[in-house]
Amino acid sequence: MNEITQAVTILQQGGLVAFPTETVYGLGADAKNPEAVRKVFTAKGRPFDHPLIVHLANVDQLGEWARDITLMAKQLAQAFWPGPLTLILKKQPHVLDAVTAGQDTVGIRIPSHPLALALLSEFGSGVVAPSANQFTRVSPTEVSAVQEEMGERAAMILDGGVCAVGLESTIVNVSGALPVILRPGMITKEMIEEVLGREVQVATREVSEVRAPGQHHLHYAPRTKTILLSASELTAYVASVASQERIALMLQSDLNIPAHDHVHVVKMPEEPAAYAQSLYHTLRCLDREELAMIVIEAVPNDPAWEAIRDRLSKASAGA
Ligand code: TXA
Ligand code: MG
């Protein structure tokens, strides 16, 4: 039996399969099986009021899960699927409350990773898949991270290498009259506006009518205390840190920090796509080093960096 067939069998029997997507690894279960869906929440330690995304192989399956599919939904699906975009749509009546957290909407995504697509098309139905990490922790972007987060809780882990995008999908609510971005991702507001030919709002607590619990504090957070500083604050800060405290510095610019033995400098990529791809991997590696602190240099203030700024501010929200 090849590994996809084996994974499909596990899903059909109500088991959990972790699999790669182009964004992050997901923890998959049969979206129509309430027992299997419950296992996902338990394995992650995730509160039951946080809805899950249903993953599909093909846009032809969309009508089985969602209704009232708006023109803007079709335009975004056409432009970005398969890919790192999740659409929130009105749900079909059969979609489990456990999946939607009792809401009238469902999140749908068609991922582009070939292993994800192979799994989803052989399974032939919807697969719920939150990121394969413990609740509030950094999402896994490679198999070793899935093992670290899930241990034996997934019956099988499919290895698809390092995720190309590295940050979770952009979530757009297209269930109402106006499109609203609920979670920024590497498909930017500007890219979405270009396809729709209109302005798109980004949810703040006030604008958002639906819950997007991915947005709350301490999501995507390393265990190590993590702070975010501008380039101008960094040099002075590093000089002020006592030499017995080992810290890591994640630099985005070519800022020249004088060498200190207790400071581990990590030079991050200067381009947003490469930075996004390596962000969670870097945080995870640094988190294993028992450091007193992770200090991250703030990234540029332009649209291509929006999703990265969002994750960095969440990673440092606990400090
Ligand atoms: O890139 C991704 O989206 C990854 C990969 C595995 O596909 N999945 C992922 O799932 O990030 P998760 O469960 O970690 O995050 C899903 C987010 C949550 O913030 C959840 O609140 C939101 O999607 N969501 C799901 N259904 C929703 C709905 N009906 N209305 C509003 N937000 C919803
Ligand atoms: Mg997640």
Side-chain angles (χ1 to χ4, degrees), residues 24-25 44 46 53 129-140 168 183 214 219-220 280:
V24 300
Y25 276 75
K44 277 183 61 85
R46 174 167 165 139
I53 297 169
S131 50
N133 52 279
Q134 293 302 307
F135 183 59
T136 78
R137 294 299 166 197
V138 175
S139 297
E168 304 80 359
R183 178 174 72 186
H219 235 81
Y220 318 105
Y280 289 160

Side-chain angles (χ1 to χ4, degrees), residues 19 21 23-27 44 46 49-55 84-86 88-89 99-100 103-109 111 129-133 139 167-171 173 182-183 210-215 219-220:
F19 64 96
T21 82
T23 59
V24 300
Y25 276 75
L27 182 66
K44 277 183 61 85
R46 174 167 165 139
D49 64 353
H50 287 224
L52 301 174
I53 297 169
V54 175
H55 294 67
L85 176 77
T86 296
I88 306 295
L89 288 155
V99 172
T100 66
Q103 299 181 85
D104 190 34
T105 55
V106 60
I108 308 276
R109 177 162 114 79
S131 50
N133 52 279
S139 297
L167 297 184
E168 304 80 359
S169 60
T170 307
I171 303 181
N173 185 357
L182 301 182
R183 178 174 72 186
V210 292
R211 275 170 282 176
Q215 303 307 329
H219 235 81
Y220 318 105

Side-chain angles (χ1 to χ4, degrees), residues 16 27 37-46 133-135 149-150 153-154:
L16 305 184
L27 182 66
V37 172
R38 190 159 324 133
K39 280 186 200 165
V40 170
F41 285 92
T42 311
K44 277 183 61 85
R46 174 167 165 139
N133 52 279
Q134 293 302 307
F135 183 59
E149 293 288 324
M150 286 300 143
R153 283 174 281 236

Side-chain angles (χ1 to χ4, degrees), residues 6 9 11 13 27 43 45 61 70 83 158 187 192 197 212 239 248 265 278 294 296-297 302:
Q6 203 183 329
T9 305
L11 292 176
Q13 293 170 347
L27 182 66
Q61 297 167 284
T70 53
L158 292 172
I187 292 178
I192 291 166
V265 176
S278 61
I294 300 172
I296 307 178
E297 180 188 1
D302 74 61

Side-chain angles (χ1 to χ4, degrees), residues 137 221-228 237 245-248 283 286-287 290-296 315-319:
R137 294 299 166 197
R223 291 179 174 82
T224 312
K225 184 174 178 195
T226 301
I227 64 169
L228 193 57
Y237 184 82
E245 288 202 311
R246 285 182 60 240
I247 66 168
L283 288 176
L286 294 178
D287 215 9
E290 314 265 315
L291 299 161
M293 178 120 63
I294 300 172
V295 182
I296 307 178
S316 59

